Amino acid sequence: MTTTAPVSTDPTRTLRPTGTGQHTESDGVRVDVPALTDVVLGRYADLRRSARELFTEDRFWKIEGQTVPEHRTRVLDQLRTLAREGNVHRAFPERFGGADDHGGSLARFEELVTADPSLQIKAGVQWGLYASAILHLGTTEHHDRLLPDALSVDVPGAFAMTETGHGSDVASVATTATYDPATEEFVLHTPFRAAWKDYLGNAGQHGTAAVVFAQLITDGVNHGVHAFYVPIRDAATGEFLPGIGGEDDGLKGGLNGIDNGRLWFDHVRIPRTDLLNRYGDVAPDGSYTSPIASPGRRFFTMLGTLVQGRVSLDGAAVNAARIGLDIAVTYGNQRRQFPGARPTEEVVLLDYGQHRRRLLPLLAETYAAGFAHEHLLSAFDDVFSGRADTEAGREELETLAAALKPTSTWHALDTLQACREACGGAGFLTQNRLTSLRADLDVYVTFEGDNTVLYQLVGKRLLTNYARTIGGDPAVIARMMAEKVTDAALHRMPLARAVQTLVDAGDARRSAGQLRETETQRALLADRAHTMVAELAQALRPARRSAPDVAAALFDAHQHEMIETARAHAELLQWEAFTRGLDQITDSGTRQIVTWLRDLFGLTLIERHMAWYLLNGRLSAGRARTVTSYIERLLLRLRPHAQDLVDAFGLAPEHVRAEIASGAEGQRQEEAREWQRAQRASGEAPVPEKKPGR
Amino acid sequence: MTTTAPVSTDPTRTLRPTGTGQHTESDGVRVDVPALTDVVLGRYADLRRSARELFTEDRFWKIEGQTVPEHRTRVLDQLRTLAREGNVHRAFPERFGGADDHGGSLARFEELVTADPSLQIKAGVQWGLYASAILHLGTTEHHDRLLPDALSVDVPGAFAMTETGHGSDVASVATTATYDPATEEFVLHTPFRAAWKDYLGNAGQHGTAAVVFAQLITDGVNHGVHAFYVPIRDAATGEFLPGIGGEDDGLKGGLNGIDNGRLWFDHVRIPRTDLLNRYGDVAPDGSYTSPIASPGRRFFTMLGTLVQGRVSLDGAAVNAARIGLDIAVTYGNQRRQFPGARPTEEVVLLDYGQHRRRLLPLLAETYAAGFAHEHLLSAFDDVFSGRADTEAGREELETLAAALKPTSTWHALDTLQACREACGGAGFLTQNRLTSLRADLDVYVTFEGDNTVLYQLVGKRLLTNYARTIGGDPAVIARMMAEKVTDAALHRMPLARAVQTLVDAGDARRSAGQLRETETQRALLADRAHTMVAELAQALRPARRSAPDVAAALFDAHQHEMIETARAHAELLQWEAFTRGLDQITDSGTRQIVTWLRDLFGLTLIERHMAWYLLNGRLSAGRARTVTSYIERLLLRLRPHAQDLVDAFGLAPEHVRAEIASGAEGQRQEEAREWQRAQRASGEAPVPEKKPGR
């Protein structure tokens, strides 16, 4: 029989010419793939490469279809392997085997998503949250006593912050830690069901200790949320210690290698010295002291360590989007469907206009998110290394993380879904990775700060900064008012725009030329981001002099705009980072192609928000039409380089692990076409029922 | 200790006052929930109710976390139970125990998604595809011989149409069935790997027969794709029959209760009489005859039966979206997060502007999709019952299904995702249903016709209809050209619009009033849908006189617009169906509220496409701003009725099966608030560190 055996589904094989320099030339330019990979991998390229090298080993990979107990056990074992071999303690002090390298540590951590997102998040719980809380909120005695076992995973630990009744609103957690001077102990207590700690990694099964966040009460005063070290399970038996109980969170939409669970405390007594007391301490007599006088500032300082989770999720989301695009673009370059202009030749998917429209803007946005992440990671390292650890620096970092984490995690989900659909039924098979990765990434948009809540935080910061600017300089107010008036005049008197429309209509080519210019894109994006803040500030101004309920209603009425304002800010940040990133590309052909990609990103944003630009008189109808037609031109220009642009992510087949991206599809298509060519050549092919002229 | 035991997670309990008439009154109106449920359940309300009643029994439910073998076995058993007890043969002739009731049968089938989407799709494979192909493509002898075992599931059957290398392009399948007059047999053969049948339900494990689609070749002529009955496995041993092989598709992103798999044929001989010969037959001597002369029309006639799959997926997607919204709105009405205007009172999620913005437009669209589906189901029944089985009727039905199935299945995914995010971490837990349902529904957007391919089909039909209209009536051409000129004039001379802008600015209230009017919404939506077709036709006009490759490039350049044109058409269909649906509501208060919901749907569409309306001079900037502010007003008006509007879906807790929609969250919140009230009353509550005036 002529049916061939199934092609190898060994996920490690590839037919792609990666790293060979055999890249597609079009429009007289081509991508220097290895050089672009260096740029993509950024400041920590070497650390990322060594992490990726480690994760080419299948002992770190997710095994699809494992039962929950098998998967959990595997991930715990992998975690301990990483503790021994994985260079995962870089963020910790040298005396604990680390390197005080915060940025580098996160860079490596972000690459873990290629192995198994469950392993990434379990590592994040153990080292990024649990051990990190001991490091940042505890003092030397805690470090010496608790860090070694936390780092080695001899003590798997939970980070017990979230409660069933309080997710993003940490200030309102209801668990109490009441100091008893008689015994010099804190009494931890869960007053009602909604105050159970919930969704905690390591709490469902493996954790033997936890850092518990609770309202610290001493001498009748609540000093706000503090962190306490609490042993929770007998390591030998796995049973909860007396007074402690909980539940397994059970099956989840993804990340089932992690044992999320719930915890409650029934008057559990812990020594006074198990308060992690860097930012607040209780003396034996019950008196409270803190180096930070303001309870509000103290709370935000203690929560400051959380930012590293957001930073790393931003980076992991970018990596997940890269994997998705690697799969869909590779498949889209091999897969043929429906006859084209020549009836004997089926069309490659990426040669369909809609397929390009679906995937290439996502590719552009993934590059943008990658460059923005490198910027965020540098800012993070500047603060955490101490080089720029000022209050302003921390605030800036938090705002940056709160802006980028939602943007990139939502982008990752959109991208993985678009890639899965672009691969049709094959995309739905687990062997092609996309559905599994999307399921695991799903929760990234609501944990470590719900995306909507984070955008709102950004919106508030933007308003505060705006108020500061205005407050500081009367000249600025005057200028802003003048601009405001100009806006209003434009809005009420569209005759001026009318003229512009007429002019534009006469010169579409010049208009496209302008859109290609960096300064035009910047002006359009920045103008929108800044105007939205100013308008929001204007709309909320009456709240200052209103009763709380009136003010709350006003804020509520503008919550949607506040969130859209934050999104506009985040998109501008991404575009600016992408634009700065272009400077790092030395090869002129590569820079040309990646500049087209940046243009595609910028123009896609402008097209997405076109109604705003038209409504606010920033673009005439004529120029607006040019945006879409220029996007179409860019898609055609970029199409020949699409494979090189995903190859430049530098992912090995061992990171991608999708049968359809292994070259198998290309082989199947080639075999089919070869058979058809042979049939035609043989002269024995059956003729169609109605052949022309027959 | 005061920690309560965990509340019951028994999914069948509810605290919602369904069916009690105790509904929220606001703005002087309230929803008559039971009466609205009657309208929602539509023409087949009784059949739907009896199906839902059956599916309150847990023997039909998905058990989350089962292994793939367990889940597959359970679903096969459930399928056989349904065959005995489920009234699942209604679409078949009375002599086979059916009722010749095509619409009613699909209505019941659509409710199966509440039990387990795997069970729904396995039922669809067995009765909707496999048995249905025997019924519609076979003749009396096939019916008598094959239908009883197909209906009883004594023979689980695969519908072997799709090939690895050919998904939506059925005409190009490469499997051949070559007639051998010497033995009066067809020889089925798979020439290469890409021609393996793939993604077939029942092929992975359970199927003992298949309806195989292959190119019928006799006497050296290929008569195109025909269907053949082919036994594939020994029922006793489960082994493939000689010459037949295959593979299990393995784990998938969802629907793991179905054994999808691949099949290949190595010169497998089947009797001549196993050609399902209603639309094409081969005599013993090898001569081919068909009642349909045109191979193209014959192909589309044979594929006509596929439309019922698309119709039913449209209905199932609506039901899935309803379940999602039932969960998220119920939770959003109970869950509190972050203090509001009064510091002691946390805010209910649905009282946040952004939460309403997220969920209520999806609720409106779900109603629209529901009404549109009822329209589609009626059209389907008209054709399949024979009452309106004309070529035009079939074509209209196919276009309708091709427009609505993509729209509702994408909507279901968007809705389930938004609902999952709106429920935060709780939404990610499998016990709250949303992630599981979304994973199962994912493939609905690419199977039974890839959504993008279907939209393209709609776009082509719209162009054909447009050409017919123009071709038929010179007066129409003249009028259209005149309108075209008017458009162009408006575009090039925005002075006319400028006047309108000035006028609008003076009277925002009148503008909102106009947007509320049915005729205004219709005019805006219809104008866009029709103009897009006309413009597309205009753009593609040069293709008629071009070489194939030039024409193909032109089509490709406009593929994105063609798909957007189809989407606009589908949205208009939904809006029209929603508007007609309002007439069925007799209670005036209910009609008022549902009219607001229709307005929200209409205005959300207009807002979504605002750039188009502005660019094309259909809305002035002033009126455009009114759209958004009127949406905000509608959201506030609808908010008090949100629970009633989801309750009117008529889903019982046994269909919803989400812990957070069971009333448990309300109970947790009430317990927490009660504890806090008691604390405050006791005078023993700790005071905050910095109490004002302290």
Side-chain angles (χ1 to χ4, degrees):
Chain A
M1 73 166 244
T2 57
T3 302
T4 57
V7 296
S8 163
T9 51
D10 172 2
T12 62
R13 62 192 295 285
T14 179
L15 297 179
R16 276 187 290 140
T18 44
T20 60
Q22 308 268 319
H23 305 299
T24 311
E25 184 165 317
S26 177
D27 284 336
V29 289
R30 66 180 193 181
V31 177
D32 180 342
V33 174
L36 183 55
T37 302
D38 288 341
V39 174
V40 162
L41 293 183
R43 177 168 164 181
Y44 298 102
D46 291 343
L47 284 169
R48 289 190 192 274
R49 281 208 172 85
S50 70
R52 287 188 180 187
E53 181 61 33
L54 187 64
F55 306 143
T56 59
E57 297 178 29
D58 61 7
R59 61 189 172 133
F60 295 109
W61 300 353
K62 179 177 183 180
I63 297 176
E64 301 290 353
Q66 277 197 320
T67 63
V68 170
E70 286 165 352
H71 193 187
R72 284 182 177 182
T73 301
R74 177 174 173 87
V75 168
L76 179 62
D77 290 347
Q78 287 169 330
L79 200 69
R80 287 178 167 147
T81 306
L82 284 179
R84 290 189 304 271
E85 307 173 30
N87 191 5
V88 286
H89 302 144
R90 297 187 65 81
F92 291 87
E94 286 186 22
R95 67 192 175 98
F96 296 107
D100 290 302
D101 176 8
H102 299 269
S105 179
L106 283 202
R108 289 180 60 88
F109 171 77
E110 292 158 8
E111 300 299 329
L112 252 182
V113 80
T114 65
D116 181 353
S118 284
L119 179 57
Q120 193 209 14
I121 299 305
K122 184 110 168 170
V125 168
Q126 182 68 20
W127 298 306
L129 293 173
Y130 170 72
S132 208
I134 295 169
L135 176 67
H136 293 291
L137 304 181
T139 45
T140 310
E141 187 273 334
H142 300 120
H143 300 165
D144 293 339
R145 173 160 56 100
L146 305 173
L147 272 184
D149 286 348
L151 294 179
S152 67
V153 204
D154 282 347
V155 172
F159 185 78
M161 176 179 271
T162 299
E163 296 178 356
T164 303
H166 290 96
S168 296
D169 182 13
V170 178
S172 300
V173 297
T175 304
T176 51
T178 310
Y179 184 66
D180 179 357
T183 60
E184 296 189 17
E185 286 170 322
F186 286 101
V187 183
L188 260 79
H189 188 64
T190 305
F192 43 77
R193 174 62 187 82
W196 284 27
K197 298 293 178 185
D198 205 346
Y199 314 114
L200 321 173
N202 276 337
Q205 183 181 347
H206 300 142
T208 55
V211 169
V212 179
F213 289 79
Q215 307 284 350
L216 188 160
I217 298 163
T218 178
D219 198 18
V221 176
N222 181 345
H223 293 277
V225 177
H226 287 64
F228 301 83
Y229 175 80
V230 187
I232 59 169
R233 277 194 182 87
D234 183 312
T237 67
E239 297 296 312
F240 278 122
L241 296 174
I244 298 176
E247 270 177 4
D248 200 307
D249 274 325
L251 203 63
K252 304 185 296 288
L255 294 185
N256 280 302
I258 308 172
D259 54 324
N260 293 84
R262 310 182 177 114
L263 294 176
W264 52 256
F265 305 93
D266 179 12
H267 299 95
V268 172
R269 290 182 166 263
I270 59 168
R272 181 184 67 90
T273 49
D274 279 355
L275 164 66
L276 299 178
N277 60 347
R278 178 167 171 195
Y279 296 112
D281 203 3
V282 171
D285 68 354
S287 57
Y288 179 84
T289 52
S290 169
I292 305 175
S294 153
R297 262 194 54 216
R298 190 191 311 139
F299 174 72
F300 286 109
T301 303
M302 285 198 272
L303 261 59
T305 179
L306 284 179
V307 79
Q308 71 183 327
R310 292 171 191 164
V311 173
S312 63
L313 294 188
D314 181 54
V318 172
N319 277 330
R322 286 170 177 160
I323 294 173
L325 286 164
D326 185 305
I327 295 168
V329 168
T330 303
Y331 185 66
N333 260 328
Q334 296 180 2
R335 170 72 165 186
R336 292 169 182 272
Q337 185 88 295
F338 286 106
R342 280 179 294 173
T344 59
E345 184 86 325
E346 291 176 305
V347 179
V348 170
L349 291 189
L350 262 180
D351 286 331
Y352 284 108
Q354 181 69 6
H355 214 76
R356 290 192 295 275
R357 254 275 175 183
R358 244 175 163 175
L359 295 181
L360 299 190
L362 295 170
L363 181 61
E365 193 167 340
T366 301
Y367 266 83
F371 284 116
H373 175 67
E374 280 297 313
H375 172 59
L376 172 61
L377 194 56
S378 287
F380 166 77
D381 194 65
D382 288 347
V383 168
F384 274 63
S385 69
R387 281 195 306 281
D389 189 5
T390 61
E391 195 176 326
R394 285 206 172 244
E395 192 174 290
E396 174 62 22
L397 169 64
E398 271 166 25
T399 308
L400 203 55
L404 295 180
K405 180 265 187 182
T407 314
S408 60
T409 53
W410 268 324
H411 169 67
L413 292 193
D414 289 346
T415 301
L416 290 167
Q417 183 64 23
C419 291
R420 123 79 193 119
E421 293 180 25
C423 296
F428 192 60
L429 302 185
T430 305
Q431 69 177 12
N432 291 321
R433 191 85 188 278
L434 295 161
T435 48
S436 164
L437 202 52
R438 192 200 171 284
D440 285 334
L441 267 283
D442 184 1
V443 79
Y444 285 47
V445 303
T446 54
F447 73 2
E448 296 292 312
D450 178 276
N451 280 3
T452 301
V453 174
L454 291 180
Y455 265 168
Q456 188 161 322
L457 193 148
V458 173
K460 284 184 180 164
R461 287 273 166 82
L462 292 172
L463 285 174
T464 307
N465 292 349
Y466 179 80
R468 270 186 210 151
T469 318
I470 289 205
D473 185 351
V476 173
I477 305 180
R479 188 164 54 79
M480 281 181 164
M481 292 312 287
E483 283 171 1
K484 186 82 199 157
V485 170
T486 315
D487 278 11
L490 268 173
H491 172 53
R492 293 213 193 91
M493 289 186 286
L495 302 187
R497 267 194 294 151
V499 175
Q500 194 190 2
T501 307
L502 288 169
V503 171
D504 286 351
D507 195 353
R509 201 178 311 164
R510 218 199 57 191
S511 184
Q514 285 184 346
L515 287 167
R516 196 162 46 218
E517 279 170 27
T518 298
E519 284 316 314
T520 308
Q521 292 174 34
R522 174 176 287 132
L524 285 167
L525 295 170
D527 179 19
R528 177 163 180 267
H530 298 156
T531 303
M532 286 174 84
V533 177
E535 288 185 351
L536 185 61
Q538 186 69 20
L540 295 175
R541 183 188 286 259
R544 284 192 245 163
R545 288 175 305 275
S546 306
D549 54 336
V550 176
L554 191 68
F555 265 90
D556 182 60
H558 293 278
Q559 193 189 17
H560 179 64
E561 283 142 81
M562 186 180 285
I563 284 161
E564 290 308 309
T565 300
R567 196 190 306 270
H569 177 71
E571 289 167 350
L572 176 62
L573 288 173
Q574 289 186 321
W575 183 91
E576 291 284 7
F578 199 160
T579 301
R580 282 194 308 274
L582 296 175
D583 293 339
Q584 301 168 36
I585 303 171
T586 49
D587 175 67
S588 69
T590 307
R591 193 167 59 236
Q592 175 62 75
I593 294 162
V594 183
T595 303
W596 289 334
L597 199 64
R598 193 282 317 264
D599 291 348
L600 178 61
F601 177 61
L603 295 185
T604 303
L605 289 178
I606 292 163
E607 189 187 51
R608 193 184 295 165
H609 305 301
M610 187 57 81
W612 189 93
Y613 289 104
L614 291 165
L615 265 175
N616 292 276
R618 285 353 190 246
L619 283 176
S620 64
R623 193 159 297 172
R625 284 174 204 278
T626 317
V627 171
T628 298
S629 65
Y630 189 45
I631 286 175
E632 294 293 337
R633 261 162 65 192
L634 286 169
L635 293 172
L636 281 169
R637 272 193 187 149
L638 286 165
R639 190 263 168 271
H641 307 289
Q643 190 70 54
D644 289 341
L645 288 167
V646 299
D647 286 351
F649 292 147
L651 296 163
E654 293 84 352
H655 303 121
V656 177
R657 304 198 301 279
E659 197 263 354
I660 48 172
S662 68
E665 180 62 23
Q667 192 175 325
R668 281 195 290 265
Q669 295 284 343
E670 198 37 59
E671 183 202 0
R673 297 169 72 193
E674 189 50 53
W675 183 88
Q676 279 149 353
R677 275 191 291 267
Q679 271 255 311
R680 286 194 298 274
S682 74
E684 285 169 14
V687 295
E689 182 176 327
K690 287 202 177 169
K691 210 183 154 101
R694 185 166 170 264
Chain B
M1 76 166 245
T2 57
T3 301
T4 58
V7 297
S8 163
T9 52
D10 171 3
T12 63
R13 62 191 296 283
T14 179
L15 297 179
R16 275 186 292 139
T18 43
T20 60
Q22 308 268 321
H23 305 299
T24 311
E25 186 166 316
S26 177
D27 284 336
V29 289
R30 66 182 191 179
V31 177
D32 180 343
V33 173
L36 184 55
T37 302
D38 288 341
V39 173
V40 162
L41 294 183
R43 177 168 164 181
Y44 299 102
D46 291 343
L47 284 169
R48 288 190 193 275
R49 281 207 172 86
S50 70
R52 287 189 179 185
E53 180 61 33
L54 187 65
F55 306 142
T56 59
E57 297 178 28
D58 61 8
R59 61 191 172 130
F60 295 108
W61 300 352
K62 179 177 183 180
I63 297 176
E64 300 290 355
Q66 278 197 319
T67 63
V68 170
E70 286 165 352
H71 192 187
R72 284 182 177 183
T73 301
R74 177 175 172 86
V75 168
L76 179 62
D77 290 347
Q78 288 169 330
L79 200 70
R80 287 178 167 146
T81 306
L82 283 179
R84 289 191 305 270
E85 307 174 31
N87 191 5
V88 285
H89 302 143
R90 295 187 66 80
F92 291 87
E94 286 187 22
R95 68 190 176 100
F96 296 107
D100 291 302
D101 176 9
H102 298 270
S105 179
L106 283 203
R108 289 180 61 87
F109 172 76
E110 291 159 9
E111 300 298 329
L112 253 181
V113 80
T114 65
D116 182 352
S118 284
L119 179 55
Q120 192 209 14
I121 300 305
K122 185 108 167 171
V125 168
Q126 182 69 20
W127 298 307
L129 293 173
Y130 170 71
S132 210
I134 295 170
L135 176 67
H136 292 291
L137 305 180
T139 45
T140 310
E141 187 273 334
H142 300 119
H143 300 166
D144 293 338
R145 173 159 57 99
L146 305 173
L147 272 184
D149 287 348
L151 294 180
S152 67
V153 203
D154 282 347
V155 173
F159 184 78
M161 178 179 271
T162 299
E163 296 178 355
T164 303
H166 290 97
S168 296
D169 182 13
V170 177
S172 300
V173 297
T175 304
T176 50
T178 309
Y179 184 66
D180 178 357
T183 60
E184 296 189 18
E185 286 172 322
F186 286 100
V187 183
L188 261 79
H189 187 64
T190 305
F192 43 78
R193 174 61 187 83
W196 284 27
K197 298 293 176 184
D198 206 345
Y199 313 114
L200 320 174
N202 276 337
Q205 183 180 349
H206 299 143
T208 55
V211 168
V212 179
F213 289 79
Q215 307 284 351
L216 188 160
I217 298 164
T218 178
D219 198 18
V221 177
N222 182 345
H223 292 277
V225 177
H226 287 64
F228 302 83
Y229 176 79
V230 187
I232 58 169
R233 276 193 183 88
D234 184 310
T237 66
E239 296 296 311
F240 279 121
L241 297 175
I244 298 175
E247 268 177 5
D248 201 307
D249 273 325
L251 204 62
K252 304 184 296 289
L255 295 184
N256 280 303
I258 308 172
D259 54 323
N260 293 83
R262 310 182 178 114
L263 294 176
W264 52 256
F265 305 93
D266 179 13
H267 299 94
V268 172
R269 290 183 165 261
I270 59 168
R272 181 184 66 90
T273 50
D274 279 356
L275 163 66
L276 299 177
N277 61 345
R278 177 167 171 196
Y279 296 113
D281 203 4
V282 172
D285 68 353
S287 58
Y288 179 84
T289 53
S290 167
I292 305 175
S294 153
R297 261 193 55 216
R298 190 191 311 141
F299 174 72
F300 286 110
T301 303
M302 284 198 273
L303 261 58
T305 179
L306 284 180
V307 79
Q308 70 182 327
R310 292 172 191 164
V311 174
S312 63
L313 295 187
D314 181 53
V318 172
N319 277 331
R322 286 171 178 159
I323 294 172
L325 286 165
D326 185 305
I327 295 167
V329 168
T330 302
Y331 185 66
N333 260 326
Q334 297 180 2
R335 171 71 166 187
R336 291 170 182 274
Q337 184 88 294
F338 287 105
R342 281 179 294 174
T344 59
E345 183 87 324
E346 291 176 306
V347 179
V348 170
L349 291 189
L350 262 181
D351 286 330
Y352 285 107
Q354 181 69 5
H355 214 76
R356 290 192 296 276
R357 255 277 176 182
R358 245 175 163 175
L359 294 181
L360 299 190
L362 295 170
L363 181 61
E365 193 167 341
T366 301
Y367 266 83
F371 283 117
H373 175 66
E374 280 297 314
H375 173 58
L376 172 60
L377 194 56
S378 286
F380 166 76
D381 195 65
D382 288 348
V383 168
F384 274 63
S385 69
R387 281 195 306 281
D389 189 5
T390 61
E391 195 176 325
R394 285 206 171 245
E395 192 175 290
E396 173 61 25
L397 169 64
E398 271 165 26
T399 308
L400 202 55
L404 295 180
K405 180 265 185 182
T407 314
S408 61
T409 53
W410 268 324
H411 168 68
L413 292 193
D414 289 346
T415 301
L416 291 167
Q417 183 64 22
C419 290
R420 123 81 192 115
E421 293 180 25
C423 296
F428 192 59
L429 302 185
T430 305
Q431 68 176 12
N432 291 320
R433 192 83 188 279
L434 295 161
T435 48
S436 163
L437 203 51
R438 192 201 172 284
D440 284 334
L441 267 283
D442 184 2
V443 79
Y444 286 48
V445 304
T446 53
F447 72 2
E448 297 290 313
D450 178 275
N451 280 3
T452 301
V453 174
L454 291 181
Y455 266 168
Q456 188 162 321
L457 192 148
V458 173
K460 285 185 179 164
R461 286 272 166 83
L462 291 172
L463 286 174
T464 307
N465 292 349
Y466 179 81
R468 271 187 208 149
T469 319
I470 290 205
D473 185 352
V476 172
I477 306 178
R479 187 164 54 78
M480 283 180 162
M481 291 313 287
E483 283 171 2
K484 186 81 199 158
V485 170
T486 315
D487 279 11
L490 268 173
H491 172 54
R492 294 214 193 89
M493 290 187 287
L495 301 188
R497 268 193 292 150
V499 175
Q500 195 191 0
T501 308
L502 289 170
V503 171
D504 286 351
D507 195 352
R509 201 178 310 164
R510 217 199 59 190
S511 183
Q514 284 183 347
L515 287 167
R516 196 162 47 218
E517 280 170 29
T518 299
E519 285 316 314
T520 308
Q521 291 174 35
R522 174 176 287 131
L524 286 168
L525 296 170
D527 179 20
R528 177 165 180 266
H530 299 155
T531 304
M532 286 173 84
V533 177
E535 288 185 351
L536 187 60
Q538 186 69 22
L540 295 175
R541 184 187 285 260
R544 283 193 245 164
R545 287 175 306 274
S546 306
D549 55 336
V550 176
L554 191 67
F555 265 90
D556 182 60
H558 293 278
Q559 193 189 18
H560 179 63
E561 284 142 81
M562 186 180 284
I563 283 161
E564 290 308 309
T565 300
R567 196 189 307 270
H569 176 71
E571 290 167 349
L572 175 62
L573 287 173
Q574 288 186 321
W575 182 91
E576 291 283 6
F578 199 160
T579 300
R580 281 194 309 275
L582 295 175
D583 293 338
Q584 301 167 36
I585 303 171
T586 49
D587 175 66
S588 69
T590 307
R591 194 166 57 233
Q592 175 62 74
I593 293 162
V594 183
T595 302
W596 289 335
L597 199 65
R598 194 282 316 264
D599 291 349
L600 178 60
F601 177 62
L603 294 186
T604 303
L605 290 177
I606 292 163
E607 189 187 51
R608 192 184 295 164
H609 305 301
M610 188 57 81
W612 189 92
Y613 289 104
L614 291 165
L615 266 175
N616 291 277
R618 287 348 192 248
L619 282 177
S620 64
R623 193 159 297 171
R625 284 174 204 277
T626 317
V627 171
T628 297
S629 65
Y630 188 46
I631 286 176
E632 295 292 336
R633 260 163 65 193
L634 285 169
L635 293 173
L636 281 169
R637 272 194 186 150
L638 286 165
R639 190 261 169 270
H641 307 289
Q643 190 70 54
D644 290 341
L645 288 167
V646 298
D647 285 351
F649 292 146
L651 296 163
E654 292 85 351
H655 303 121
V656 177
R657 304 199 299 279
E659 197 262 355
I660 48 171
S662 68
E665 180 63 24
Q667 193 175 325
R668 281 195 291 265
Q669 295 285 343
E670 197 37 60
E671 183 202 1
R673 285 156 48 118
E674 189 50 53
W675 183 88
Q676 279 148 352
R677 275 191 291 267
Q679 271 255 310
R680 285 195 298 274
S682 74
E684 287 169 12
V687 295
E689 183 176 326
K690 288 204 176 167
K691 211 184 153 100
R694 185 164 169 265

